[in-house]
Structure formats: structure tokens, C-alpha cells
Amino acid sequence: MNAEVKMMRTAAEAAYADALTALPAPEAIRSLREKALRLFAEKGLPHRRVEEWKYTDLRALIREMPPLAKGADGAAIAEAKKNSVLTNIGAREITFVNGAFVAELSNLKGLEKGLSITTLADALAKDASLVTLLAKINPNKYDAVFALNTAALNEGILIEVAPGAQITQPIHVRHIVTGTSPVSVFGRAVVKVGAKAQATLVQSHVGPDTVAYQTNTVLQLSVADDAELDVVRVQAEGDKAIHLSMMIGAIGNESRFRSFALTTGGAASRHTVPFAYAGRNARATIAGATLLRGKQHADTTLEIDHAMPGGESRELYKTVLDDEANGVFQGLIIVRPDAQKTDGRMMSAALLLGDNAEMDNKPELEIFADDVQCAHGATTGALDDDLLFYLRARGIPKKEAESLLIQSFFGEAVETIENAKIRDAVMNLAGGWLAARS
Amino acid sequence: MALLEVKNLQARVEEKDILRGLNLTVNPGEVHAIMGPNGSGKSTLSYVLAGKSDYEVTGGSATLEGEDLLELEPDERAARGLFLAFQYPIEIPGVASMTFLRTAVNAVRKKRGDEELSTPDFLRLVREKAKELNIDQNMLKRPVNVGFSGGEKKRNEILQMAMLEPKMCVLDETDSGLDIDALKIVADGVNRLRAKNRGFLVITHYQRLLDHIVPDVVHVMAKGKIVRTGGPELAHELEAKGYAAYDNAA
Ligand SMILES: Nc1ncnc2c1ncn2[C@@H]1O[C@H](COP(=O)(O)OP(=O)(O)OP(=O)(O)O)[C@@H](O)[C@H]1O
Ligand SMILES: [Mg+2]
């Protein structure tokens, strides 16, 4: 281990290596974890000279590693119960508190036909080959968040929808952090939707304000041929938290995928979406609304990889930045030589409310096929004075007029959510953000 | 007391003097028309009264029922009873017409000390007023003015006016872009609102509108001032002779 430790450049990197080395590993995943840890030890946290991390310098951001969370005791569970984000959407809830699966706050009973939900530990005990899936999906490229998440692999959930099953009740995976002292929390969720099946997944992340905890969650999705999956994600972490997350997706022939991400929380966050078109004629919408204030920083990085022909992708991100907040959108659409007839459209629009707010927008196209239609756009602007005046001339006070315009701005992205209950609940959360504007 | 009293009003935009000492008094119940060549400052007057921040008031005063308008925020002016029907109503994508109307009506009612309207009462009111103005309900399902024709936008302005029940209505070329039937509908809409405690300032280029909305007083504006004031017959005279006589009057 000496050689590895020498590679560590910062105290935080060394602390991660130590803590994760000491973490007992179940047999089934031991070698996977060791491999990931070795990789992390070699490459460490990315910094601003690493192109994909230019705007979110993890080495500068993560100065230390809080101790690994010790799961959920009675007090933690009691605190988690008070959390009410998206509890009114009629979903089946699966709850993790401080990284630990909490059966008491999860509903695994009466699963619809074709739906299977298993903790990763149980799933691995039954079928060790699952390990390859956990390691897979993005094997060629080093990603510190993925490496750390894999090195810390412990608890998680496996959700499988059998071919042909239509699961109507949304499945809500909740990641709740509790307590008053900083912890490090890891989580993994794997969702497999079989051919011609359909499901809706919701994922939420919440935690206490004023506590500098860190979370790292990876969601792995695979959508088989002719299948349909909707994903809605809400990141409403506490105001001092660092939130690192990935949504890794692969979609099959003629499949349909929609995702929406609401980001309002954390002192700093990074959400990376490596997304592969593994089949022909697949269609995906990847949308999001990011609402930040104070000195918050949130980075969304998409990597849309069209490897097969006939794919359609729509990316729409709306970012609202108040005060001195910093938004980052990096969106890359790759169209590989075989991906003829790809139709990709990406748009990232930012609304700056604060004089010192800043948006870093980096849309990119890498096209290697000739018969494709791809476009991207990025805009940054302030509220339109003429629109504001029109509203105010009708008696609507300034703040309310601004709220109407801000809401209409991010509303376009929220509208992409198919499920009306979830859409309304997300709109409410966003409305809460607006109402708290000073 | 005068409803609207404008005294020696001077305003500029981007370093350019537009209003150069304008005087105007509208008493309760009166309809005044303002006519004048393009660029004489008619819209500027309406914007200055409504409180658009691009315009800098450099002198003079404007009061509504004795209260200094120029000190108030635009929404407060609206709540006090000033209404401007815009010459060019803008589109507000993403803001639903009904949400907008309801927010406006209730904001104004709240400031005036009235109860907010319940949803059924509000809907009933919109339906009634929209019908009077021949506005299709389906139009109101769209975002504010989005996809409305020029004439529809103008009618929508009058709908807002009817909903907000202002005291002093400033109509900036509400007739331009209206077909003959729509002109009649809009004029009827305005006439329905005529009341002894309400005043109108109708900016127009055409005598035609004034056949329907018969004014008590007609003003000619040129180069940022009122240069002549008369009765309804003045509009006929302008229609016949044009503004040539006033070009140098200011
Ligand atoms: N925001 C602005 N920036 C620069 N110039 C302006 C602005 N608004 C008005 N002006 C100028 O002020 C003058 C008066 O314009 P205004 O729109 O008030 O005229 P008007 O009498 O309403 O004309 P019309 O009959 O064509 O509507 C014009 O010369 C116009 O170009
Ligand atoms: Mg004008």
C-alpha cells in the first residue's frame, strides 16, 4: 500500500483511501472494491486542469473527508420520518438513512407482478454475477465519483421490472441524511427495465442544513428494447453539503426514456450523466431545473452517446441563479459513425437574478456520422424589463411579477415530467424555492 | 378635484428630451382624446404616467386624485386606479393568461382593501367580460398574448381593463390594427366602462374611433406638448387638414 499512499496529494484523498481500505468488504464485492480503490489511489480527485472538471474542482472543494456514516439508529430514523419531500405522490418508498437501508421506512410488500426490489446485499448473495453489472457501464473512463462509490460499495438497492410488466405506481428511492455532525454517505441504486416493460422512478436527496456532510450516489439504469422508463430526481441537500452523483444510463432498441432533475440543494454539487444509446431508434428526454442562491454551486454534466442509428435526444436545462450562485452546464452529444439519422437537440438556458451570479455553459457536439440532425444552444440573461413592466402595470407587485416570470422560465423544463402528481409536487418544491427569495 | 392632473411635465429618454412641458387635466367622467403626429411623444406620456423606468422625469408633476403619481411604483399606480392599454402589448411566454389575470385582479383588490375573488367568482367574471369583448375562451388558455393576432392583443388589453376596474384609463392607439367589427366591439367595451367617476385618455390617429367613443375634449400634441385643445369637431378638422399647421407650433 505504500506506493498507493504516496500517490495521494491531499489530506482528503488520503483519508478516503484509509477509510475505504478499513471498510470491511463482503466476499462477493471484495475484489471489485479493491480494484476501484486502487484506481482512486492512483488517479485521485479531479482538479480544474482535468477538462471535464474544469468548473468543479473536487480537489479544491473537498478538503477533508468526514467519517463514514454509521447507519441509522432510532434517533436518525425518527428524524428521517419528519422528512416530507415528495411524500404525496402515491409512490412506493424505499428509504436509505445515512446510507443504510431502513426497512421500517420502506415498502417492499405487495409488489406489483413483474416488479422485484432487493437490497444489493441480498441480491449479491443470490446472484454473484451481479458484480459485473455494478462494475460495468462506464469501464473505459476513470471517474473519481464512480471509483469512490465503487470502493465504498456496501448498501444499495436493485430494482428489476420483468419483461412486459407495466408498473404504474412510482418507485421512490429516498436518500436521507440526518444528525448534526458531518458524515460521508455512499449509495448505489440499480434499475433494470425489461423488454416492453414500463416504470417510473423517483429519487430524492435531502439532509440537514448547516452540516458539512458529503454524499456520493450512483444510479445505474438499463432500459431494454421497447421499454419505457421515467426518472425524476430531486436534489435538495442541506446548505453546507457536498453532493456528488451520477446517473448512468443505457437504453435499448425503440425504447423511451425521460428524466427530469430538480436541483436546489447543497453548497456544491456535481451530477454526471453518462448516457448511452445502446439500441436503434431510442428516444430520450433529459431535462432539469436548477435553482440556486447564496454561494451555491451546482454542476450538471451530460455525456449523451449516440452509438446506434435513429436515436432521438432532447436535453433541456433551465438554471436560475440568485445572489452569487454559480451554475455549470456541460453537455456533450457524441454521434458515432454508426449512429446515422440521429436527431439531437440540446438547450441550456440560464437566468441570472443576482449581479454576482455566474453561469458556465459548455455545450458540445462531436459528430462522426454524416446523416444527422444535431443542434445545441446556450443562453444567459436577466429578467426582461419590458415583461416585468407589463405585469407590474397590471398591479402585480415586483416580487410576484418576478416569480411569475421565473416560474415560467423553469416551468418549461418541469413540464417534461409526464406524471401529473409528480410534476405538481416538483412545481411545489420549486415554488417553495421562489417563496423563500428575499 | 381633477382625476388626472399633469403640469408642465418634462421627460427624457436616452438623453433625448421628449416631453417638454405638457399640461393636461382630466376630470372624473370625462373622455379626452389626444391626437398628434408620429413621434410627438404620445406613447412616452402614457409610459411616464404608468411608471416605465426607461423614462426620466426631469420636471413637472402628475397626480391622480391629488396624489403624486411619479413617486409610486408601477404596480402601486395600477392599484390606485391607473390603467394603460399598451400600443404594443407584448407576449409573455410561459405565463398562463388566467394565472396572470387572476394574480393581477387579486393583487389590485388586495391593495384596494377588497376581498380576493374566489375561483368560481373570478371565472364567472372573466367569462362574462370575455364574452362582451368577443374573446374566445380558448384564447385565454394560452400564455399571455402568445399567438394572439394584433387585434386579439388589443381586445385582451380591454379585457384586462374591464377586470381591473381602473379610475383613469389611458388607451394608446387601441384602435390601430382592429378590423371594423373589432373596433366597434372595443368601443362598446370602453363605453360600457364610462362612468361618472372614471376618466379616459384616448390616444388615436383616427377620427373613426372617436365616432364610437365620443370625447369631451380633443387635444393636439406636437413635439412633447399639448399645442391645441378643442371639442370633438377638432378631430374632424385634423382628419381633413392633417398636422401641417402644428409641425412648427412647438
Ligand atoms: N426607449 C426609447 N429610446 C429612444 N428613443 C425613444 C424611446 N422611446 C421613445 N423614443 C423617442 O421618443 C419620441 C417619441 O416617441 P413616442 O413613442 O412617444 O411617440 P408617439 O407620439 O407615441 O408616436 P406614434 O404616433 O408613432 O406612436 C420618438 O422620437 C421616439 O423615437
Ligand atoms: Mg405611440
Side-chain angles (χ1 to χ4, degrees), chain A residues 384-398 400 404-405 407-409, chain B residues 51-52 73-75 78 83-84 86 90-94 100 103-104 107 145 157 160:
Chain A
D384 185 315
D385 282 336
D386 289 335
L387 295 181
L388 266 180
F389 177 65
Y390 190 93
L391 296 172
R392 297 185 69 194
R394 296 300 177 249
I396 302 173
K398 183 162 181 245
E400 226 176 312
L404 276 176
L405 295 179
Q407 203 165 346
S408 77
F409 175 78
Chain B
K52 196 166 202 271
E73 295 292 322
D75 45 291
F83 184 91
L84 167 60
F86 288 88
I90 51 178
E91 303 190 359
I92 313 185
F100 160 69
T103 309
N145 291 329
E157 294 290 291
Q160 291 165 35

Side-chain angles (χ1 to χ4, degrees), chain B residues 194-227:
Chain B
R194 286 182 79 156
K196 65 177 191 309
N197 56 356
R198 185 173 279 146
F200 290 84
L201 189 61
V202 180
I203 297 169
T204 181
H205 284 296
Y206 305 106
Q207 150 61 28
R208 202 180 47 183
L209 176 70
L210 305 180
D211 284 340
H212 297 287
I213 307 172
V214 183
D216 300 295
V217 185
V218 174
H219 306 278
V220 180
M221 183 164 171
K223 295 193 174 152
K225 279 185 186 176
I226 301 295
V227 292

Side-chain angles (χ1 to χ4, degrees), chain A residues 13 36 57 168 208 278 372:
Chain A
E13 284 169 334
D57 183 334
T168 48
V372 302

Side-chain angles (χ1 to χ4, degrees), chain A residues 179-375:
Chain A
T180 50
S181 49
V183 286
S184 290
V185 179
F186 293 88
R188 176 78 64 111
V190 180
V191 178
K192 295 168 75 179
V193 183
K196 293 191 163 58
Q198 193 212 321
T200 300
L201 176 79
V202 178
Q203 199 183 22
S204 65
H205 302 266
V206 295
D209 280 338
T210 72
V211 184
Y213 66 90
Q214 295 180 14
T215 60
N216 176 326
T217 22
V218 170
L219 170 64
Q220 289 174 286
L221 307 169
S222 69
V223 182
D225 295 353
D226 284 311
E228 193 169 342
L229 177 66
D230 284 89
V231 177
V232 174
R233 162 191 152 80
V234 169
Q235 192 272 84
E237 302 275 22
D239 60 6
K240 290 282 180 292
I242 293 178
H243 171 98
L244 305 174
S245 58
M246 298 180 87
M247 178 175 82
I248 305 171
I251 57 174
N253 290 311
E254 314 281 342
S255 60
R256 182 86 179 87
F257 177 80
R258 271 179 298 264
S259 76
F260 173 86
L262 177 70
T263 302
T264 58
S269 68
R270 157 80 168 218
H271 184 56
T272 310
V273 182
F275 195 83
Y277 284 70
R280 297 168 165 261
N281 303 329
R283 288 179 296 156
T285 300
I286 298 177
T290 300
L291 315 175
L292 307 174
R293 60 167 54 100
K295 291 181 191 293
Q296 280 182 293
H297 170 103
D299 174 333
T300 296
T301 296
L302 310 181
E303 227 180 84
I304 313 298
D305 190 344
H306 287 273
M308 299 289 277
E312 183 191 283
S313 72
R314 295 284 177 272
E315 293 81 32
L316 176 65
Y317 270 78
K318 296 286 183 111
T319 305
V320 180
L321 303 170
D322 210 344
D323 307 323
E324 300 163 52
N326 178 205
V328 178
F329 176 84
Q330 306 188 98
L332 170 64
I333 298 182
I334 305 168
V335 182
R336 300 200 184 270
D338 287 342
Q340 298 294 0
K341 304 278 182 204
T342 290
D343 175 357
R345 253 175 264 168
M346 179 160 64
M347 179 68 199
S348 164
L351 181 59
L352 304 187
L353 302 175
D355 291 341
N356 296 311
E358 188 186 316
M359 181 71 193
D360 298 302
N361 244 330
K362 202 177 89 184
E364 276 180 290
L365 297 174
E366 277 180 18
I367 300 180
F368 304 102
D370 45 28
D371 185 13
V372 302
Q373 274 197 327
C374 280

Side-chain angles (χ1 to χ4, degrees), chain B residues 13-14 16 18 37-44 55 87 173 205:
Chain B
V13 58
E14 288 175 4
K16 191 172 150 199
I18 311 288
N38 294 133
S40 56
K42 303 181 298 297
S43 292
T44 300
Y55 299 87
Q87 183 174 0
E173 293 196 32
H205 284 296

Side-chain angles (χ1 to χ4, degrees), chain A residues 404 408, chain B residues 92-101 140-144:
Chain A
L404 276 176
S408 77
Chain B
I92 313 185
V95 177
S97 289
M98 288 302 230
T99 307
F100 160 69
L101 275 176
L140 298 176
K141 288 182 184 146
R142 289 188 233 150
V144 181

